[in-house]
Amino acid sequence: MLKRNLAELSVADGKLYRDAMARYAGHVQLVTTAFNGERRGLAVTAACSVSDSPPTVLVCLNHHNEKNRIFFESGIFALNSLAFHHQALSHAFSGLEKLTMDERFGHGNWDTLVTGAPALVDAIATYDCRVVNMIPQSTHTIVVGEVAALRLGGQNPALVYMDRSYRTL
């Protein structure tokens, strides 16, 4: 009989859950938006495709962070998929360095596509989206966006985050 390392998860044990999720590989993306002359961007792995008809993606954002309100008010966002050479850029947008938004955006070359959300010029892919649904769930809001424009960049190795470090495929 195989021995299993089993831990019962209580509702209050977020650390155990976070440790388990650290083993989950996720493509690193920068989610960005702009509204009333302000820009915001975050490094995330909680983003994925929803549908190809119409092209739709989602991103999960912490709604307890007051600074994320701009994502819920702007009605737009861009998902910028990062390549392995974007590690420093991801770190700048992670919040760990306590950089201002202007300092974060100073680390990349940015333009806009259709919606006005900041688009990383050399991203593997940029999904420029209009928000079509927001679903509050626990500490986060699932923001669903219909892709209004798409830009494909170079076919560089993807930047992946797993076991609390960067990796590539």
Side-chain angles (χ1 to χ4, degrees):
M1 176 178 251
L2 292 175
K3 258 186 143 177
R4 291 187 179 171
N5 186 6
L6 180 64
E8 188 173 323
L9 182 64
S10 72
V11 174
D13 196 355
K15 183 184 180 322
L16 179 62
Y17 177 77
R18 287 188 300 277
D19 287 347
M21 288 306 296
R23 298 176 183 185
Y24 188 89
H27 190 170
V28 182
Q29 304 198 48
L30 300 182
V31 59
T32 57
T33 194
F35 187 60
N36 290 336
E38 182 182 346
R39 294 185 297 180
R40 181 150 174 82
L42 307 166
V44 300
T45 56
C48 66
S49 172
V50 175
S51 174
D52 66 353
S53 183
T56 311
V57 297
L58 68 78
V59 62
C60 300
L61 298 169
N62 186 333
H63 55 241
H64 291 301
N65 183 336
E66 184 64 29
K67 293 179 182 177
N68 285 343
R69 179 179 299 275
I70 187 173
F71 285 102
F72 311 131
E73 294 174 349
S74 68
I76 61 169
F77 68 91
L79 276 180
N80 301 276
S81 300
L82 299 186
F84 191 68
H85 70 271
H86 289 125
Q87 287 180 51
L89 183 62
S90 172
H91 193 73
F93 277 80
S94 72
L96 296 175
E97 296 181 11
K98 308 295 184 210
L99 300 176
T100 67
M101 280 302 133
D102 286 341
E103 290 170 331
R104 290 181 190 192
F105 281 101
H107 284 270
N109 186 10
W110 300 91
D111 64 5
T112 59
L113 300 180
V114 173
T115 69
L120 182 64
V121 171
D122 68 336
I124 292 174
T126 298
Y127 307 84
D128 188 30
C129 302
R130 290 190 180 92
V131 174
V132 293
N133 200 3
M134 290 189 286
I135 307 156
Q137 179 63 48
S138 303
T139 58
H140 284 62
T141 295
I142 303 161
V143 182
V144 181
E146 188 172 320
V147 179
L150 178 65
R151 177 168 58 205
L152 292 178
Q155 289 187 317
N156 295 305
L159 182 62
V160 175
Y161 198 73
M162 186 176 120
D163 289 333
R164 296 185 172 95
S165 64
Y166 292 114
R167 308 197 185 245
T168 191
L169 297 175

